[in-house]
Amino acid sequence: MLKEPVERVLSGGRRAVYRHPLVVRMWHWLNALCLLVLLLSGLQIFNAHPALYWGQVSVFDKPWLAIGSGDGPAFPSWITLPPWQDLAGGRHWHFFFAWIFVVSGGAYVLYALVSRRVHRVLLLSRGELRHLGGSLADHVRLRFPRGEQARRYNPLQKLSYLILLFGLLPLMILSGLTMSPGLDARFHFLTLLFGGRQSARTVHFFTAWAIVLFFVVHMLAVLAAGPLTEMRAIVTGWFVIGGRKEER
Amino acid sequence: MMEPPSSRRRWLQRALAAAGSLALSACDRLANSERVTSALGAEETWTRHVQRLLLGRDALAPEFSEKDISKEFRSNGTTDPDTDAYNRLAQGGFADWRLQVGGLVEHPLRLSLRDLQSMPSRTQITRHDCVEGWSYIAKWKGARLSALLARAGLAPRARYIVFYCADTLEITLDGTGQYYESIDLVDAMHPQTILAYAMNDRPLPIPYGAPLRLRLERQLGYKMAKYIMRIDAVETFKDISRGSGGFWEDRGYAWYAGI
């Protein structure tokens, strides 16, 4: 395992840093596909009963939250998979991609921990933790680290990736599995952890939107930091820094 | 102040609209494709194998106490078979109803409600989970399916238990709209698998499957056939109705409904 990133000198004083190993890039794109399909098919499944509850059971005449007017689907067809009402189909899409998502995600987390990539690339140092406020202020003003500083993930970026990887994604998987009547027979502590099956369903729904929020911020950050540079990095692995005019 | 959209913006709008409709029609074609549908169906096999491995034969679905029983229940699918034959049975309090047990068994049975009530029973307060996403908790009492099958004597070739119901959920020309379900022997022999004749200490109400319904606590509601008239032990369900092992299975739903 390389301790220091491989580097290439380009023309015009620019340098290319090998930032994303192949495993990371593959997982990133597979994950993007899985999360897209899981969201669209999840909304299809949600449309079958567009109400949310807390606890074990549904209180039909007093849902905690009901979405839609009752006429027509809660989420429109263009945002569901399949694009027409089809709970059986939505479930097949959802569970097929859930399997890919869980297996590839589990393998990736194992790799990231064993290779110590989490420690090298994602964990925040004490100094970074102290300057989190400053980093946030820079982000709000759309001032992104340039040049040498752009070699590493900045503290907010690290924090958001950590929250996604060790917070939102596991929460999504666990709340999803908790809804399974089969697994409930063996792992009932999960149901107790979430406070009931209907609570788990509600958590599953809102965590999905938290991941959508992550995606929106992720896209804004890519746009603001230079979509070309960022896209090249996550496709080829090479992140270009420096030069007269930083590439946008 | 409104400005006329620049040609560049117009171009961008058109490009986006084109890309959008292209993506949508691609989605349509993907979701409609026979090959895609059958490939996606693999998830059911993975889920079944892994859940069977994790659960084993005897892991019990959680059971609750009296105070956890829901205030509200919901019935789905057929809420009243409403055929002449069924209505006659219901009017007589199902005294004339007989459960037929046949197929690959050594001793075919014909059982009245009273016969079933005198067989080894089990009472359980469990959560009913519908494929649509909702749940309720209720108390069920019924005859253990394992005891009934032991009495009938399963032939060695028997692999599945099929439940034929009194209700027709979809009007079809070939009669494949009649409700039926099938389970394998692992589920049939599970201690919580019962033929319920009572719900919340009262005779099973019609919307919930009177006079007899299946309780299969480790799977979703659509597996739990209501209005049961006949039970057959079979080697395969490929030759029954449309061949997928159940009314909803014939319409694309998974045969193994543990998730």
Side-chain angles (χ1 to χ4, degrees):
Chain A
M1 195 55 56
L2 292 166
K3 281 272 185 287
E4 289 300 317
V6 182
E7 207 169 311
R8 278 196 319 219
V9 178
L10 306 174
S11 62
R14 294 176 309 146
R15 268 158 307 147
V17 182
Y18 192 64
R19 194 170 174 180
H20 307 300
L22 183 64
V23 191
V24 174
R25 285 176 280 145
M26 276 177 19
W27 185 69
H28 172 272
W29 289 111
L30 191 61
N31 222 12
L33 173 72
C34 285
L35 289 176
L36 177 69
V37 172
L38 285 166
L39 177 70
L40 302 187
S41 57
L43 294 176
Q44 167 75 249
I45 296 169
F46 181 81
N47 272 351
H49 186 70
L52 295 169
Y53 315 87
W54 290 104
Q56 280 287 5
V57 298
S58 313
V59 184
F60 298 106
D61 60 359
K62 256 191 285 168
W64 178 73
L65 180 73
I67 292 177
S69 58
D71 331 315
F75 289 100
S77 62
W78 61 265
I79 203 179
T80 68
L81 187 68
W84 51 87
Q85 197 188 336
D86 179 4
L87 175 58
R91 284 166 53 82
H92 287 309
W93 280 97
H94 202 71
F95 299 139
F96 187 91
F97 280 86
W99 268 113
I100 297 175
F101 170 70
V102 166
V103 171
S104 71
Y108 176 75
V109 168
L110 206 66
Y111 152 81
L113 288 173
V114 169
S115 71
R116 298 187 65 78
R117 185 176 165 81
V118 171
H119 310 72
R120 283 181 290 118
V121 179
L122 288 181
L123 286 189
L124 286 88
S125 66
R126 283 222 184 103
E128 284 176 320
L129 275 173
R130 263 199 303 276
H131 294 111
L132 218 50
S135 177
L136 182 65
D138 282 347
H139 268 73
V140 171
R141 290 188 211 112
L142 295 180
R143 281 211 313 247
F144 289 90
R146 302 248 179 257
E148 284 305 303
Q149 274 190 314
R151 274 171 185 276
R152 302 167 185 285
Y153 290 155
N154 68 68
L156 271 190
Q157 198 177 5
K158 288 183 177 184
L159 195 65
S160 60
Y161 292 164
L162 283 173
I163 289 174
L164 182 77
L165 200 56
F166 295 103
L168 298 178
L169 298 185
L171 189 61
M172 208 58 201
I173 294 167
L174 291 179
S175 58
L177 291 177
T178 300
M179 284 186 271
S180 151
L183 295 180
D184 197 22
R186 179 63 80 201
F187 307 102
H188 188 55
F189 65 91
L190 277 177
T191 315
L192 298 176
L193 192 73
F194 283 102
R197 180 179 193 250
Q198 292 301 320
S199 299
R201 185 168 173 263
T202 302
V203 169
H204 199 66
F205 182 82
F206 282 103
T207 310
W209 292 110
I211 294 172
V212 171
L213 183 68
F214 169 88
F215 170 76
V216 170
V217 174
H218 188 52
M219 286 303 100
L220 289 176
V222 166
L223 284 177
L228 221 65
T229 314
E230 298 289 338
M231 194 51 111
R232 180 165 49 211
I234 197 61
V235 172
T236 68
W238 292 94
F239 185 76
V240 177
I241 52 176
R244 187 167 44 84
K245 207 167 82 178
E246 205 134 279
E247 280 188 281
R248 298 303 299 252
Chain B
M1 225 168 48
M2 289 282 285
E3 278 177 53
S6 68
S7 67
R8 195 170 160 189
R9 187 187 289 173
R10 232 180 356 242
W11 180 85
L12 197 66
Q13 278 171 347
R14 280 197 199 131
L16 275 177
S21 65
L22 205 68
L24 269 183
S25 75
C27 269
D28 266 27
R29 256 182 294 137
L30 267 180
N32 241 337
S33 147
E34 200 78 27
R35 270 161 71 187
V36 170
T37 312
S38 86
L40 290 175
E43 62 83 12
E44 182 194 344
T45 314
W46 305 337
T47 302
R48 178 164 48 87
H49 283 306
V50 172
Q51 284 208 2
R52 278 284 156 81
L53 202 69
L54 289 173
L55 301 183
R57 290 176 171 269
D58 293 328
L60 295 180
E63 293 188 22
F64 300 85
S65 63
E66 297 270 348
K67 66 171 172 37
D68 298 316
I69 294 175
S70 293
K71 309 265 181 301
E72 270 187 289
F73 309 95
R74 177 171 283 200
S75 71
N76 216 1
T78 305
T79 52
D80 185 350
D82 200 26
T83 62
D84 289 344
Y86 181 84
N87 290 342
R88 263 196 307 279
L89 289 171
Q91 272 152 26
F94 298 103
D96 295 332
W97 170 89
R98 292 292 179 275
L99 175 70
Q100 314 248 17
V101 182
L104 299 173
V105 295
E106 283 154 24
H107 320 289
L109 305 172
R110 229 175 99 80
L111 303 167
S112 69
L113 210 45
R114 192 170 289 229
D115 294 334
L116 281 161
Q117 283 160 353
S118 66
M119 289 185 64
S121 72
R122 193 176 196 281
T123 302
Q124 54 207 29
I125 300 175
T126 50
R127 198 187 60 217
H128 182 93
D129 297 329
C130 179
V131 67
E132 292 176 348
W134 46 264
S135 315
Y136 65 75
I137 293 174
K139 183 180 186 178
W140 308 95
K141 184 182 184 190
R144 291 167 181 258
L145 184 60
S146 58
L148 184 139
L149 293 175
R151 197 164 135 187
L154 282 179
R157 278 193 300 136
R159 287 193 56 206
Y160 300 98
I161 307 299
V162 181
F163 304 87
Y164 293 96
C165 308
D167 60 315
T168 298
L169 195 44
E170 186 189 324
I171 307 297
T172 56
L173 289 174
D174 58 358
T176 55
Q178 195 189 341
Y179 209 90
Y180 75 105
E181 257 303 339
S182 62
I183 63 175
D184 66 7
L185 295 185
V186 172
D187 276 324
M189 299 305 172
H190 188 264
Q192 285 173 321
T193 302
I194 57 173
L195 297 168
Y197 42 73
M199 176 185 184
N200 301 325
D201 298 318
R202 291 177 49 228
L204 190 64
I206 287 179
Y208 299 89
L212 196 70
R213 84 170 302 171
L214 178 67
R215 293 299 308 168
L216 187 70
E217 306 293 356
R218 302 190 297 182
Q219 296 198 41
L220 295 173
Y222 68 85
K223 292 298 288 185
M224 302 189 221
K226 306 194 280 188
Y227 317 110
I228 299 174
M229 302 300 283
R230 199 175 103 220
I231 296 177
D232 273 4
V234 299
E235 191 175 1
T236 170
F237 48 71
K238 294 275 175 274
D239 51 353
I240 299 169
S241 201
R242 298 185 196 169
S244 298
F247 176 90
W248 287 114
E249 288 84 335
D250 286 338
R251 287 152 184 82
Y253 285 82
W255 180 82
Y256 182 77
I259 192 160

